[in-house]
């Protein structure tokens, strides 16, 4: 009997498109809403509009992009945070059901929701937030500094506790699976990669440090965010902050 190659190769193989064997369209009846909204957040924080004048050009930004983990005590500004959010998931064309965003997404379904662990950002109280894409504002889900718990949940990576903000992307898998069935998991992760890449380029252009994070105890981060770990589960994080003198 052939040996089971393991879950990774099995997933890859069974979600391949072949001309002679395309998967049937998934039979979903109720479409999954394109935007997530929390009904009763503790408060909203409005974000300043992104600005497009300052900063180096694209080629220089790409050349300078580096993962940096030496964060300073100095707070980031709310304008910087707003600019990062715009670069990651801001609406750049169209509106509402037909809005398109700064990052590409399979089928324009945008399954990854953006959450923030804010610790040190001016005019934004420490807390856990959800980014409301349509309103371009933050909804506070929990108040307080969760940076120590988050660092522990990220395999004790201490820089998470020193960052001004840590982004976390929760994948609402059914939003993508309603069209792509099991192949959706590929797209969810590809989409998340785009979010992380845009975030790092935007952070570089703003002279901020950033590092993407793939090492975390999934259910510990899900618990902090209040996600069920099934229909919505954390897939990727990224820490951002002002740089200390040793890491500029
Ligand atoms: C998917 C992914 C996951 C990563 N996870 C972590 C992480 O958990 N901790 C960390 O310190 N760096 C993490 N990194 C950053 C990499 O270590 C870094 O990109 C790599 O060393 C190359 O360095 P550079 O980004 O400066 O070019 C991750 C990067 C990617 C793309």
């Amino acid at each position: 009997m052939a040996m089971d190659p393991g879950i990774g190769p099995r997933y890859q193989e069974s979600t391949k498109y072949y001309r002679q064997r395309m998967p049937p369209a998934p039979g979903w009846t109720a479409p999954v809403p394109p935007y997530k909204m929390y009904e009763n957040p503790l408060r909203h924080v409005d974000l300043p509009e992104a600005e497009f004048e300052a900063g180096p050009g694209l080629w220089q930004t790409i050349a300078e992009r580096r993962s940096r983990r030496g964060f300073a005590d100095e707070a980031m500004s709310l304008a910087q945070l707003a600019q990062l959010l715009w670069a990651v998931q801001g609406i750049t064309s169209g509106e509402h059901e037909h809005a398109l965003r700064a990052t590409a997404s399979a089928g324009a379904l945008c399954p990854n929701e953006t959450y923030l662990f804010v610790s040190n950002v001016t005019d934004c109280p420490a807390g856990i937030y959800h980014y409301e894409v349509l309103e371009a504002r933050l909804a506070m889900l929990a108040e307080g500094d969760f940076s120590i718990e988050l660092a522990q949940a990220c395999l004790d990576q201490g820089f998470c506790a020193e960052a001004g903000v840590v982004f976390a992307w929760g994948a609402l898998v059914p939003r993508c699976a309603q069209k792509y069935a099991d192949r959706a998991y590929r797209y969810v992760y590809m989409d998340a990669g785009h979010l992380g890449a845009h975030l790092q380029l935007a952070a570089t252009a703003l002279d901020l440090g950033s590092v993407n994070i793939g090492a975390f105890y999934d259910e510990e981060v899900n618990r902090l965010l209040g996600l069920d770990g099934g229909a919505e589960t954390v897939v990727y994080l990224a820490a951002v902050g002002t740089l200390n003198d040793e890491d500029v």
Side-chain angles (χ1 to χ4, degrees), residues 64-69 154-155 157 159-160 193 200 210-216 235-237:
E64 286 175 7
R65 185 212 63 81
R66 197 86 287 140
S67 297
R68 301 200 190 279
R69 303 166 181 82
C154 292
L155 273 64
Q157 300 190 78
F159 62 79
C160 292
Q200 273 213 308
S210 69
V211 56
N212 299 121
I213 303 167
F216 50 87
V235 289
Y236 204 21
L237 297 99

Side-chain angles (χ1 to χ4, degrees), residues 38 41-45 78 81 85 113-119 121 123-132 137-144 146 165-166 168 225:
Y38 285 83
L42 296 177
R43 71 176 81 168
H44 285 113
V45 174
L78 188 60
L81 180 58
L85 286 161
E113 294 287 325
T114 300
Y115 299 88
L116 303 174
F117 292 85
V118 171
S119 309
V121 177
D123 303 317
C124 187
I128 301 175
Y129 293 85
H130 172 247
Y131 178 49
E132 293 185 352
R137 69 180 178 187
L138 301 178
M140 184 192 259
L141 309 181
E143 182 151 26
F146 293 85
V165 59
V166 177
L225 292 173

Side-chain angles (χ1 to χ4, degrees), residues 2 20 32 39 52 128 139-140 228 233:
Q20 64 281 21
V32 182
E39 279 198 358
F52 304 101
I128 301 175
M140 184 192 259
D228 67 6
T233 191

Side-chain angles (χ1 to χ4, degrees), residues 191-232:
D191 276 20
H194 300 157
L195 302 175
H198 272 225
L199 180 66
Q200 273 213 308
L201 289 179
T204 305
L206 292 169
D207 218 9
L208 296 167
S210 69
V211 56
N212 299 121
I213 303 167
F216 50 87
Y217 300 114
D218 302 57
E219 290 309 336
E220 293 186 23
V221 181
N222 281 333
R223 190 170 38 76
L224 286 167
L225 292 173
L227 306 183
D228 67 6
E232 187 174 0

